[in-house]
Amino acid sequence: MTDATPLNRFSVEPLARMTRRLADVAAGRAEPDLVLTGARVLSTYSERILPEREIRIAGGRIAAVLPAGSYKGPAPVRDLRGGLIAPGLVDPHLHIESSMVTACAYAEAALINGTTTIVCDSHEIGNVLDRDGVAWMLEDARAAPLNIYLTVPSTVPATSPAFETAGGDLTAEKIASLFDAWPEAIGLGEKMDFVAVAEGDPRAHAIIAAALERGRPVSGHIYGRGFVAPYAASGVTDTHEAIDRDIADDLLEAGLWIFLRGGPPTTPWHSLPAAIGTITDYGAAWKRVCACTDDRDADDLLAFGLDWVVREALRMGIPKPAAWAMGSLHPATRYGLDGEVGGLGGGRRADLVLLDNDLVPQATWYGGELVVEDRKATPRLEAALSRPYRYPAPAYATVRLPEPLPALVPPLPTGVCTVNAIRTTLPGIELVHERVALQPGADWAATLSAHGLCHVAVIERHGRGGGVAHGLLSAFGLRRGAVASSVGHDSHNLIVAGLNEADMRVAVAALAEAQGGVCVVEEGRVVAMVRLPVAGLLSDQRVGVVAEDMRRLKAAWAQAGCAIPYMGFNLIPLSVIPQIRITDKGLVLVPEMRQVPLFEAA
C-alpha cells in the first residue's frame, strides 16, 4: 500500500471475504504478504510463551502461526531475533475526550503503547452536543488508524435537569437510534446513575432495555457494596469502578466483569493495586478480569498507556501471559471481539506488538502494516495522521456564557453562619462534605483564608439559561489567582475556583475566547492554558503538541498550590460520586441526591 492509501479499521477486509485466501496461505498454496519469524509468541489463549515461531500475514490478517523457518518462499521475511510478539492491546473502557485530543490524534499515542483496539464511551461530547456529537466522534473514529468501538453514552445528563444542566439529553429513543445506525456501537456505556438504577427509575431502565433488546451488553459505574445486587439484577455486566478487593469480589460473584483501572498514582485513576486483591488475596480467577485506562490526559496518555497498566498487574503478582491477556484477550472476549482481536490465531487481524522482556512495546503492526518502530511513528503512520477528521463548525461554538456574566462569588452573610463546604482530598475522586462555622468580621477574604477556603463557581455554558452556582472549597490549597476548566464532568459546564473574583473573571473570559480549555491565572493574566475548541473538550492538534501544553499547565497548576490534580478538579461537578458536589444548580449531596444551601444560619 502507498502512503496515500487510507489506514483505518476498514483497511482490512472482513474475514468472511478472506477465508479462502487465508487457508491457502496457511497451507502453503499461496504466498503471504509478510512473514515475521524468529520471535517468541505470547499466547493469550494458553497463557504461555512459545519459543521460536513465525507468523504468516496476508491481507492484514494472520494466516498461521507456525514453527520458525517453516516458510521458504519469496515473500518479505522479517527476523525478530528472539523478540517477544503479542497481540495488540484492547482497552475496554476509556473516554477519548479525557485525552483532550481527537480520535485520529489519540491513535498515535495508543499505537506507540501497543494498543490497537479501544472501546470508548463518548459521554463527554454527548453531554455537550447530544446525539450529533456522538455521531461526529464516530466519524472521527472511522477515519483513525485504530480499531475504535463505542459503548453508547447511557447517562446524559449524569443525573437529571433538577440537579444539572447539560447540552445533551440522550433518551432511550436516541440511544436506540445510535445502536441501529452504527454497527460499531457494541454496548451501552457506563450507567452512572447507579442510585436511580437500583431504585428502579423508569428512564434509567428504559435505556438499559434499549441495549438488552438489541443483544448489547451494559457497562456499569458503581460505588457502594449495597448497590451491587440490584445493579447486577438490572442487567449491568461490567464496571471499572472496583475501588478495593471487597467490592471487586462482590462484583465478580454477582456475574460482572471487572476492569482493573490503572493510572498515574497522583491522579484519581489508580484503583488497580487495591482491587486486584480479589485475585492476589482472595484467590479469585482472573478469567473475567480486564485492565483499562478510563481517563488520561495527552501527557499521561503517552507515559501511562494500557501497556503500563498491564505491567502494574504483572508487578502485583499476575503471571506475564495472564497480565497481557487481561489487556487483550479478556476485553476482546467481553465484547465479543475475540474472533478479530486479542490473540494470535488464524483469521485474526494482524494487530501485533513486539515487546521487550519487561512488556514494553518496541514496535506495532496495525492490520499487518508497521506503524510504530523503536517507539516512533513510521512514515506510513505519519501519512495517515496528516489527514485527520475535521469536526463540523457547530462543534467549535459550544461555550455560550450569559452576558453580562453574573457574579462569581456569592453575597456573603453578615453574621455567624455555617458553610456547607466541599473538602478536596487526594487522589480527587471523592469529596468530603465539611460543615464549617464562620464568624465573619469586616474582612471576608481573611475569614475564608483562615479556614482554608476559596471560592468555586459553576457556570452553565450551553446557552440554556446561564445559571451560576457558588460554593467554597476546603483544603484545595490555592495560594494565588484562579483556575478554570470547561471540562466540568459530566455536563461539562464551566468550573472556576479562585481567591478573588477579578482573577476568576479573567479565567472565565479566557475560556470563552478560546471556546474551551483549562487555564491558570495569576494577577490578572493567564500563565498557562490548554485550548480545547472542539466542544470545549478537545484540541485539534497532534497529541505531542497537546502533551507539551499539558506539561506546562501541570507545572503552573502545582505552582498555584492546587492540592488535587486538574483532572480531580474537573470532577468537582460530577454529581454521581459521594459525598458533595457543585453543579450549575447548586450543592448536591450524594448518594441521597439532596440539594443544600451554601450558607445556613448557625
Side-chain angles (χ1 to χ4, degrees):
M1 293 184 179
T2 68
D3 286 350
T5 305
L7 181 66
N8 53 43
R9 181 164 61 90
F10 306 98
S11 303
V12 174
E13 289 279 354
L15 179 59
R17 301 178 192 169
M18 295 183 60
T19 54
R20 291 182 64 191
R21 182 186 177 195
L22 292 171
D24 286 346
V25 172
R29 295 187 297 270
E31 298 299 328
D33 298 326
L34 173 68
V35 177
L36 301 177
T37 193
R40 295 167 294 144
V41 164
L42 191 156
S43 172
T44 56
Y45 300 128
S46 62
E47 294 186 2
R48 296 179 294 178
I49 294 178
L50 309 175
E52 297 296 301
R53 295 293 195 270
E54 72 178 30
I55 301 174
R56 298 184 188 180
I57 297 171
R61 292 186 179 274
I62 298 169
V65 180
L66 299 169
S70 300
Y71 180 72
K72 306 295 184 183
V77 176
R78 175 163 175 164
D79 188 350
L80 298 181
R81 303 181 181 277
L84 182 63
I85 198 84
L89 292 170
V90 180
D91 198 328
H93 177 76
L94 60 86
H95 307 282
I96 289 175
E97 300 97 317
S98 294
S99 70
M100 299 181 167
V101 296
T102 64
C104 286
Y106 186 99
E108 179 179 5
L111 292 169
I112 288 172
N113 289 329
T115 297
T116 53
T117 301
I118 65 173
V119 181
C120 69
D121 180 341
S122 298
H123 68 222
E124 282 92 345
I125 202 166
N127 267 286
V128 177
L129 288 164
D130 203 80
R131 180 171 44 190
D132 284 347
V134 178
W136 295 336
M137 180 159 277
L138 282 165
E139 294 285 5
D140 183 10
R142 285 185 170 185
L146 195 68
N147 306 327
I148 301 179
Y149 296 91
L150 175 75
T151 53
V152 177
S154 67
T155 319
V156 176
T159 52
S160 77
F163 294 106
E164 59 190 325
T165 306
D169 179 19
L170 291 182
T171 62
E173 292 74 22
K174 290 178 183 177
I175 287 167
S177 73
L178 285 165
F179 278 130
D180 294 342
W182 298 88
E184 54 266 68
I186 59 173
L188 187 67
E190 58 177 301
K191 204 72 189 78
M192 300 182 67
D193 53 345
F194 61 93
V195 176
V197 171
E199 293 180 348
D201 175 75
R203 173 182 165 120
H205 283 263
I207 287 170
I208 290 173
L212 296 179
E213 288 166 356
R214 289 163 174 78
R216 307 297 206 281
V218 178
S219 295
H221 167 118
I222 182 173
Y223 281 84
R225 298 175 73 183
F227 292 101
V228 171
Y231 211 46
S234 300
V236 180
T237 45
D238 75 48
T239 182
H240 57 286
E241 297 288 359
I243 61 172
D244 60 42
R245 63 186 182 178
D246 293 314
I247 194 168
D249 213 54
D250 290 352
L251 291 162
L252 283 178
E253 293 299 343
L256 277 73
W257 289 76
I258 60 170
F259 301 162
L260 297 174
R261 178 176 59 196
T266 57
T267 72
W269 284 273
H270 196 46
S271 53
L272 180 148
I276 205 170
T278 184
I279 298 169
T280 56
D281 300 337
Y282 294 163
W286 51 66
K287 63 183 179 181
R288 287 172 66 86
V289 179
C290 307
C292 79
T293 58
D294 196 5
D295 293 286
R296 291 289 190 278
D297 63 44
D299 180 26
D300 287 341
L301 182 63
L302 292 164
F304 298 95
L306 185 58
D307 60 315
W308 182 88
V309 184
V310 167
R311 291 193 295 274
E312 281 291 286
L314 176 65
R315 189 172 69 84
M316 294 290 156
I318 304 300
K320 188 177 290 186
W324 196 265
M326 284 182 183
S328 54
L329 180 62
H330 295 197
T333 303
R334 191 273 179 275
Y335 284 112
L337 300 172
D338 49 315
E340 280 285 288
V341 295
L344 303 184
R348 275 66 171 183
R349 285 182 55 98
D351 296 342
L352 314 170
V353 184
L354 181 65
L355 304 167
D356 67 14
N357 287 331
D358 296 321
L359 301 187
V360 177
Q362 305 299 307
T364 305
W365 287 262
Y366 176 65
E369 296 197 60
L370 184 64
V371 290
V372 174
E373 190 165 24
D374 297 326
R375 297 192 59 79
K376 296 183 178 63
T378 63
R380 178 73 175 106
L381 180 57
E382 287 286 351
L385 295 171
S386 70
R387 300 184 294 273
Y389 172 79
R390 174 75 179 182
Y391 279 78
Y396 284 84
T398 64
V399 178
R400 301 189 291 277
L401 300 181
E403 294 182 3
L405 190 67
L408 299 181
V409 300
L412 300 173
T414 57
V416 177
C417 64
T418 297
V419 171
N420 286 303
I422 301 169
R423 184 178 183 84
T424 63
T425 60
L426 286 172
I429 293 183
E430 294 198 23
L431 300 172
V432 177
H433 179 200
E434 186 173 83
R435 290 171 58 83
V436 181
L438 297 181
Q439 188 167 2
D443 189 345
W444 250 102
T447 299
L448 297 181
S449 178
H451 288 83
L453 300 171
C454 74
H455 293 287
V456 64
V458 173
I459 311 165
E460 191 277 316
R461 60 107 162 171
H462 305 294
R464 298 189 174 186
V468 177
H470 306 109
L472 290 169
L473 296 180
S474 170
F476 185 55
L478 189 65
R479 291 192 292 266
R480 54 184 178 266
V483 295
S485 172
S486 60
V487 192
H489 293 285
D490 261 339
S491 288
H492 296 293
N493 289 307
L494 195 151
I495 179 171
V496 57
L499 297 180
N500 63 80
E501 186 170 21
D503 280 335
M504 292 169 73
R505 284 183 172 272
V506 171
V508 170
L511 297 190
E513 184 276 329
Q515 278 299 297
V518 185
C519 70
V520 178
V521 169
E522 291 182 12
E523 297 181 351
R525 66 184 185 91
V526 177
V527 296
M529 183 169 182
V530 180
R531 293 174 175 266
L532 304 173
V534 180
L537 303 171
L538 306 172
S539 170
D540 50 13
Q541 302 296 308
R542 286 274 292 268
V543 66
V545 174
V546 184
E548 183 56 38
D549 287 345
M550 276 305 314
R551 285 189 278 272
R552 286 192 288 268
L553 180 94
K554 288 176 179 178
W557 194 269
Q559 289 169 5
C562 301
I564 59 172
Y566 89 93
M567 290 185 83
F569 177 74
N570 287 345
L571 294 179
I572 290 173
L574 183 53
S575 57
V576 292
I577 299 179
Q579 298 172 332
I580 186 170
R581 301 284 149 169
I582 180 171
T583 73
D584 65 299
K585 295 295 183 73
L587 296 170
V588 181
L589 299 183
V590 183
E592 55 263 53
M593 301 313 294
R594 177 170 61 89
Q595 291 181 296
V596 293
L598 176 57
F599 299 112
E600 294 179 336

